[in-house]
Amino acid sequence: MGRATRLSIAVTAAALAATLPAPVAHAETAGFSVQTLHFDTTVGPDGGRHCDVEGDLYTPTGSSADRPAPAILTTHGFGQTKDAQRPTAEFLAGRGYVVLAYSGLGFGGSGCKVTLDSPDPDGRAAQDLVSFLGGADGIAYRDAAHTQPVPGLDLVVRDEIAHDGRALPNDPRVGMIGGSYGGAVQFAAASVDPRIDTIVPMITWNDLSYSLAPNSATAGAGVSSAVPGATKSSWGLLFSAAGVTAPGVDGYRGDPTKLVGCPNFADQTCKVLVTAMARGFGDPAAVRFLRSASVVSYVDRIHVPVLLIQGEEDTLFNLNEARATFDALRGQGTEVAMIWQRLGHSSEGLRTGFARRPDPDTQYPTRRYLDWFDRHLRGASVDVAPAFAYERGWAADPSDPGRAFANAAGPDVGTAFALHLSDGGRLTTDPATIRPGTQSLRTPPAGLVDGATPSNLSVPPGPRPEQQPAGGIAQWTADPQAEPLDVVGAPTLDLEVSTSAPVTGPADAPVLFVKLYDVAPDGAATLVNGQVAPVRIVEPGRPVRVTLPAIVHRFDTGHRVRVAVAGSDSNFRGGLVPHQVSIPAGDPARQLVLPTVAN
């Protein structure tokens, strides 16, 4: 399986990898029929642009105008087509839901170009599919030429009032589900269509400018930063290749407009990708463009219940992104719950997880999203708590699958555990033992890489050895654990960085890469979940707080905590100007803080 395929199959896989805390009974599966249709969707500010969308309609046996059923709309991850949603669609149709699985714009048999799940056109296109589910004619056809019309459905439950309080035409009882690219489009659709009743976005982004070029030294709420970060070169190249090759020869032949300008991408996307790869960060226009395709820009327009599912092993869209969305939704009073599960874009077992079919009796996320739909689409009296659940890999037990997940009222479950930077590369818990000292490292020129680091496209279990040259990394290591240390949440590192040369702005600023390791008794170091926190230091000499990607991890007895600051990383485009960097220790405020929970 190629890397592009591995990236895209995360749509269904991320919801299927975990185990169920307590078995519950659900309706037995029933039969259904499947029909492939084409939809004439209209997008753009004036609705004057037409985009053909190809989709598969799954109709449960027995559903009719006299026995209507609720509906679910679903689409896929980046580079995929509607076919990737077949396991989920069959699972939900077998439980009595009308399901429409479709290929997003620019993918599979759907027309127009890839536009990064923007409210318009991607949200607008989904809006027309909702209208079809609600009974609107003139949208669905049996053929791509739109010459054989199919009437709007009359077998989906109708709502009298939409979520904005208005009585709107063709208003079905409908939810959405999907992962990665198919997760972000749900926010886009819900932001423009109040007829959508609930959404379940999985392993997706909050701010695409952070996802693709994070600066982990953010000053405000969420993950967005006023200072540009460092481009994820590995993910960026894979993303670019997957988008350009997605239509294939037949797709480009069937819609030659995909070749005009930027191949299969909106023209501005190419500008963003080229600039980000060349400079190592996006300019202000690029950041604005990426954020416009992100829920962070329009979260105030999301007012339907949201179940977020995010992967702990995900170096593309990390846990901090789901946390940012959760906080924003909860802060404005929107009903929201969140699950952190092991499987994400970077999981080594992604193929295995993808091959599994949904099973609410053995898979925790599946049970949770089925309960969520039954509650919000059927009105069933089913408990959809807790507001927050996280999977603990160390607690997995085949004889007691309920141990894998812990529940809480919210994600602030950890208590701060401070480890202070001290001379000799030591991390100490006792401020009285701190000793002053300085570690130095260099950053290479032109955004190049000194040495080599493992790919963050996948996170294999066990050690992840790095080849860092002497003088290319600074690190501090704690004493062996006398008992297990369980971390749930985002670690922070407070440090001060000075440079030998002046810094005038982002272009000549040093870029550093902060990493958290689990060091085994034999000395083998594992980069926790493959996560790296880049920081662009535009004000050397001033204290900076680095917020690392959140983790759920146990440092077992005898293991040691290590934090490292590197001058380069093979998965990122580093700083353009070389720097000699010094990081002092000895001040109690220079510390690594881990959010820990009781064993």
Side-chain angles (χ1 to χ4, degrees):
M1 177 176 293
R3 285 180 175 178
T5 304
R6 190 187 314 175
L7 165 63
S8 62
I9 65 173
V11 178
T12 305
L16 307 183
T19 52
L20 180 74
V24 294
H26 287 279
E28 294 296 323
T29 59
F32 53 86
S33 60
V34 185
Q35 180 183 15
T36 298
L37 299 173
H38 287 263
F39 302 88
D40 181 16
T41 66
T42 54
V43 302
D46 59 357
R49 184 183 177 196
H50 291 256
C51 295
D52 176 59
V53 169
E54 185 180 44
D56 290 335
L57 179 66
Y58 295 74
T59 305
T61 302
S63 59
S64 65
D66 295 327
R67 298 180 59 189
I72 293 173
L73 192 62
T74 182
T75 190
H76 51 81
F78 200 88
Q80 283 184 311
T81 72
K82 60 181 177 57
D83 296 337
Q85 291 302 91
R86 184 178 297 124
T88 298
E90 291 178 347
F91 165 68
L92 291 169
R95 280 155 178 79
Y97 287 96
V98 175
V99 182
L100 178 54
Y102 70 99
S103 296
L105 300 182
F107 297 106
S110 293
C112 293
K113 289 186 175 185
V114 175
T115 51
L116 304 185
D117 276 344
S118 299
D120 187 16
D122 302 276
R124 295 291 181 191
Q127 190 174 32
D128 281 338
L129 305 184
V130 171
S131 293
F132 163 74
L133 292 170
D137 297 329
I139 296 174
Y141 297 84
R142 291 186 175 85
D143 61 321
H146 302 162
T147 63
Q148 305 173 44
V150 173
L153 294 188
D154 63 357
L155 46 78
V156 175
V157 176
R158 305 286 179 85
D159 286 329
E160 295 183 0
I161 302 295
H163 285 270
D164 62 356
R166 294 182 296 164
L168 297 176
N170 310 120
D171 185 355
R173 184 76 52 80
V174 61
M176 294 187 73
I177 190 172
S180 192
Y181 199 72
V185 74
Q186 298 174 55
F187 293 120
S191 75
V192 300
D193 195 340
R195 297 173 300 173
I196 295 171
D197 297 288
T198 188
I199 58 177
V200 182
M202 302 182 290
I203 57 171
T204 195
W205 65 86
N206 170 266
D207 181 348
L208 204 52
S209 72
Y210 170 86
S211 310
L212 300 180
N215 181 6
S216 300
T218 56
V223 295
S224 302
S225 175
V227 177
T231 300
K232 291 179 180 175
S233 52
S234 297
W235 281 115
L237 290 170
L238 178 56
F239 167 79
S240 302
V244 170
T245 60
V249 174
D250 291 341
Y252 281 119
R253 184 181 294 117
D255 185 359
T257 63
K258 291 180 183 291
L259 283 169
V260 177
C262 180
N264 202 41
F265 281 108
D267 289 347
Q268 193 168 359
T269 307
C270 272
K271 296 178 184 177
V272 168
L273 293 172
V274 170
T275 299
M277 293 304 294
R279 300 174 61 191
F281 62 93
D283 58 23
V287 172
R288 286 194 299 272
F289 172 68
L290 293 173
R291 285 187 183 157
S292 71
S294 306
V295 66
V296 68
S297 296
Y298 53 81
V299 68
D300 58 341
R301 304 206 300 265
I302 308 297
H303 300 292
V304 296
V306 179
L307 174 61
L308 299 165
I309 302 175
Q310 203 80 346
E312 296 163 11
E313 294 179 344
D314 200 323
T315 63
L316 179 58
F317 306 133
N318 64 41
L319 296 177
N320 291 3
E321 300 223 49
R323 171 67 194 266
T325 305
F326 178 93
D327 287 346
L329 291 170
R330 175 175 270 194
Q332 68 187 23
T334 301
E335 181 181 353
V336 60
M338 180 168 62
I339 300 168
W340 289 354
Q341 59 166 31
R342 292 287 298 277
L343 201 61
H345 286 83
S346 306
S347 297
E348 186 73 4
L350 194 59
R351 276 196 343 197
T352 302
F354 178 65
R356 298 173 64 192
R357 296 184 62 81
D359 183 353
D361 294 327
T362 60
Q363 299 158 3
Y364 180 87
T366 303
R367 192 211 76 181
R368 286 291 304 276
Y369 78 62
L370 184 59
D371 284 347
W372 191 265
F373 283 142
D374 285 349
R375 170 73 172 271
H376 294 294
L377 298 181
R378 295 190 191 277
S381 298
V382 58
D383 186 6
V384 293
F388 177 55
Y390 57 95
E391 186 176 5
R392 303 165 298 167
W394 64 87
D397 183 349
S399 65
D400 182 12
R403 290 187 57 198
F405 282 84
N407 302 332
D412 289 320
V413 297
T415 300
F417 177 73
L419 292 156
H420 306 279
L421 308 185
S422 185
D423 188 35
R426 293 178 56 247
L427 283 175
T428 177
T429 59
D430 183 0
T433 65
I434 299 173
R435 299 291 181 265
T438 299
Q439 292 197 49
S440 298
L441 66 138
R442 65 175 179 270
T443 66
L448 300 177
V449 177
D450 273 348
T453 51
S455 171
N456 67 0
L457 299 183
S458 63
V459 180
R464 288 168 58 87
E466 297 194 17
Q467 298 176 359
Q468 291 284 359
I473 191 169
Q475 53 191 19
W476 296 262
T477 307
D479 292 335
Q481 286 299 124
E483 60 182 10
L485 181 70
D486 296 343
V487 181
V488 180
T492 60
L493 176 64
D494 291 289
L495 74 168
E496 183 180 311
V497 175
S498 60
T499 60
S500 57
V503 173
T504 61
D508 62 2
V511 176
L512 303 176
F513 302 91
V514 180
K515 311 177 186 186
L516 187 66
Y517 291 90
D518 184 324
V519 183
D522 64 0
T526 298
L527 180 62
V528 178
N529 287 344
Q531 298 292 349
V532 178
V535 288
R536 187 175 294 271
I537 308 296
V538 294
E539 296 181 290
R542 300 191 62 174
V544 59
R545 171 165 291 179
V546 181
T547 301
L548 283 73
I551 58 173
V552 180
H553 182 76
R554 164 168 284 186
F555 292 90
D556 218 336
T557 302
H559 288 233
R560 292 176 290 164
V561 177
R562 174 178 293 167
V563 65
V565 180
S568 66
D569 188 281
S570 302
N571 298 286
F572 293 84
R573 188 83 158 89
L576 300 180
V577 177
H579 284 274
Q580 188 69 24
V581 171
S582 297
I583 304 175
D587 184 336
R590 305 296 167 250
Q591 60 184 1
L592 172 70
V593 178
L594 304 175
T596 61
V597 298
N599 301 141

